[in-house]
Amino acid sequence: MKFRSSLFAVLFMLAAWASAASAQTRVVTGTVKDQLTGQPLGGAEVLIPNTTIRTTVREDGTFSLGVPIGQVSVLVRMIGYQRALISVSGTQRSLDVSLTEDVLRLDEVVVTGQATGVERRNLANGITTVSADELDNVPAASIEQLLQGKIPGANIQGNSGAPGGGVQVELRGVTSFVGRSPLYVIDGIILSDVAIPSNINEVTNASGGSNPALTQDNQVNRITDLNPRDIETIEVLKGASASAIYGSKASNGVIIITTKRGREGRPQINVSQRFGFFDLANTIFRTFDTAADVDAVFGAGTAAANNFDPDRNVEEILSGRNHLSYESNISVSGGDANTRYFVSGLWKDDEGVMQNTGFEKQGLRVNLDQDISDRVRLSVQTNLMHTNAQRGISNNDNTGSSPIFALAFTPVFADLERRADGTFPDNAFERSNPLQTTALMSNDEDVWRLIGSGRLEIDAIQSDRHNVQLIGIAGFDRFSQKNALLFPPELQFEDDDGLPGTSLLSNSDNENINLSGNVVWGFTPASGNLTFTTSGGIQFETTDLNTSRITTRNLIPGQTNINQGSNVQVVEGRARVESLGLYLQEEVLIKDRLLLTAGFRADQSSVNTKTEHLFVYPKGSASYRFDVGSSLVQSIKFRTAYGESGNQPFFGQKFSALEGRVNIESILGFQIPVGGTIATIATTEIKPERQKEIEAGFDATLFNGRASLEFTGYHRSVSDLLLPRQLAPSSGFTQEVFNGGAMRVNGAEFGIAIVPFQTPEFSWVFRSTFGMNRSKITELPVPDFLAPNSGFGADLGQFFIEAGASATQIVGNVPQAGGGSAIGKVGDSNPDFKMGFTNDIRFHAFNLFSLWDYQQGGDIVNLTRLLSDFGANSKDCTDGSATDPCIVRTSNFGTDLGSTYIESATFIKLRELTLSWDVPQNIVGGIWGAAQSARLTISGRNLITITDYSGLDPEVSNFGNQAIGRNIDVAPFPRTRSFWFGIDLGF
């Protein structure tokens, strides 16, 4: 009875408290609309700052909010719009709000920590944000392609034109000799962006010369698996002061991806269908008009022997497919106050311009948000993806198997097409028939991937002064990659090694596990002029990559299985890395003008020699915003920041590599790797490279909010570089990897946004980006050396690491005054600067968007031109006389690389062009009553390229994703342009 009485007493007191609390509040109702169009803004958030009182605007633009008695401030905000802070009197019970589109992105919240963010108007770092609208103009295989030209200070270039992408992203220049791609984080978990070679080197033998590593396979980096239509925002953390929150993994920058979420309201269904085709963008080989011209160059009777036809062009036949491509997207989102959902599906099929090439992608995403209570929220994200890339064969080879390589020595008039009986003629000019190769070989990469994550938020303490939030994140990223390659015995080049027919099978399994716990404490003193945000936490990550490869030669004719050959080789590799990180950060915002931030990250990892040692990476920043108030300058913010980050060693660099290749009386023995592999011995201590960076800049709002300007200058110093040390032959090893040396990078970034016109009928938004950087090796404790896997001999150009020189310099043979030649600098792959120009113009229901990408400078080693010069097939070849440009260049080969095969990479590209029409509602309803909106689009990617470069494309990298070693052109997959027609429907 006493317990029951006590319970009733407690319930009575709670009821009385609730009644008293309700008596001290009132309900304010109102509407939220777009200032220009007057359209309701469903999904906007209405709240009272520094409290938990908030609500979401309904679909029709209305809201109801219980607010305290007395005068209060109400904040209304929505993604893509400028926030509105409104004072509500003690008696006011209605509120109508109009929000202005935030074209300049001043009010967007940008990440500043593992679990914190700040509005851009107070941000102290140079961070770039790309919204969903900017990713939805023209279809692309990979997210990185959608970022080209939109990030100041970023150099984003494709490695070739092969379907499925293969893109390198470099933020603020080179920071390592063996650097990785930027760190990718999606919904709080770290993704794998590993690029796994297909093992096609077993056929091309591209690495059989001076480059023993498998880096010429034209592989895909796995960010291509993601569906761009699922993305809400992308934040690019370029500097160490911003990326320091990810410690030893972040010296190459961090790209944070946030996917779309459901919003309260009725189900929203969006369907998008696009159809298009890819077209060969350029040709590089010479053509002939008459049989006499052919015989004059290649010898009498050549034209007749090849059934000369001036209209036959093997280069265009090889890469002339224009098959239909398509992309289908559907998404459903909605929910109520407690449960919200976003579900999407993708089916994409890009047809390649070569036979047996293309790229398919399917994806299914389910994002759920559940408010378990007023203080507990759970978010779950799952994404199942499947990609199938048919990559064909391209880049360097030493067997004559690569089609473009073969075409360099094969005149385009050669009669190489399939005969009536299904067979192909042998190529009399080279070891392979490129049309036969592409028709009969296959290079398929099949990937299944599942990404899942969960985020639990608990508001442990909520009051007017204090807000303590506990955040737990757990996630995984798992994929299986299967590479199946077949080169049947009937291929012309397959009999060269005496083992005709090759079948290759590789299976790779990768798993990333992420676990983190975070605490965020917000404190606002009674004055209200200060806001303290303290955050701290711990993260644990494991990565596990296993790859097994089987190579079978001398296949039984008609068979494809790897057990149907007489020569079988098996290789397996395993790599497991465990990492632990701790962080603590403090942010102080004073009067919404001055922001001070300080913090550190401490990391340990199994790839370091001292696995238990914590490497500490500090950070600090400050910004102050002045409200000028003039018509020319409304506000200006000055900012500065310092930070440190690292680059972890690769798995295995602290071990001595041995192989079990010896059998002594049935006892297995180990030996140093042979067969061209670099024999590396373990170092006594290996640790992450360390990057220190200071940046400073300003942001300004101009012309009554019609323009914004941002500038950032930075200085980076990188120490403890991972370097190869050459060893004495008597040691039995070739080299040792160790930490030593230093490098610096200086650069500047510039961005501008202008809104010349903005009315309900017409608007125009112009944006421009600029970035430049220069590197210099300041310390080198070993003799100058050839950068790993980044070039050929001095005759062909190589990247050379030299104290006092640029890290991206290209060296080769240059003539000497007294005769002969010597090794000297002939170029630099780093561009002088890069710029992007976007125009977004809306007139009534029509919208025109364009993006131009401009690169000035940077040098390319054009070895494709060298090959075609030797084959008398370059476009400018003439009669073979002493004045023939091809003869002039080849006569200087070996003595003067700089003036023969080093070319400028300057280009201007029309990256994206889109014209869209929002179909009027009366037409939409008349055609399909269920549809609420419809949009028709015509678009294209890489439609125009203006360049003096003589190769297929000035964006090229024979060695794939390399920190150093880009801009080497050796028979790449031809670059393409694409054209699309689309329709988007909303229900």
Side-chain angles (χ1 to χ4, degrees), residues 800-818:
F800 200 64
I801 305 302
E802 179 183 5
S806 165
T808 51
Q809 71 166 345
I810 305 171
V811 302
N813 287 332
V814 295
Q816 299 298 295

Side-chain angles (χ1 to χ4, degrees), residues 623-641:
S623 68
Y624 189 85
R625 179 169 50 85
F626 295 90
D627 288 333
V628 180
S630 71
S631 59
L632 176 62
V633 181
Q634 283 71 64
S635 67
I636 185 168
K637 176 187 65 180
F638 295 97
R639 49 184 168 81
T640 185

Side-chain angles (χ1 to χ4, degrees), residues 176-180 647-648 650 653 689 722-723 788 962-964:
S176 171
F177 302 153
V178 292
R180 297 174 171 85
N647 181 45
Q648 287 184 347
F650 284 93
Q653 287 187 323
E689 299 175 332
L722 292 165
L723 299 174
Q962 294 285 331
I964 297 175

Side-chain angles (χ1 to χ4, degrees), residues 32 78 97 117 122 144 241 279 288 297 315 344 372 421 460 467 488 494 508 542 574 593 656 747 810 890 938 956 965:
V32 180
M78 184 174 182
V97 183
N122 294 316
E144 297 109 323
S241 59
D279 184 58
F288 292 86
V297 174
E315 184 178 13
S344 72
I372 300 174
D421 62 359
N467 188 335
E494 264 295 331
S508 302
T542 65
R574 296 180 178 180
R593 293 180 183 275
S656 298
I810 305 171
T890 55
I938 300 174
V956 64

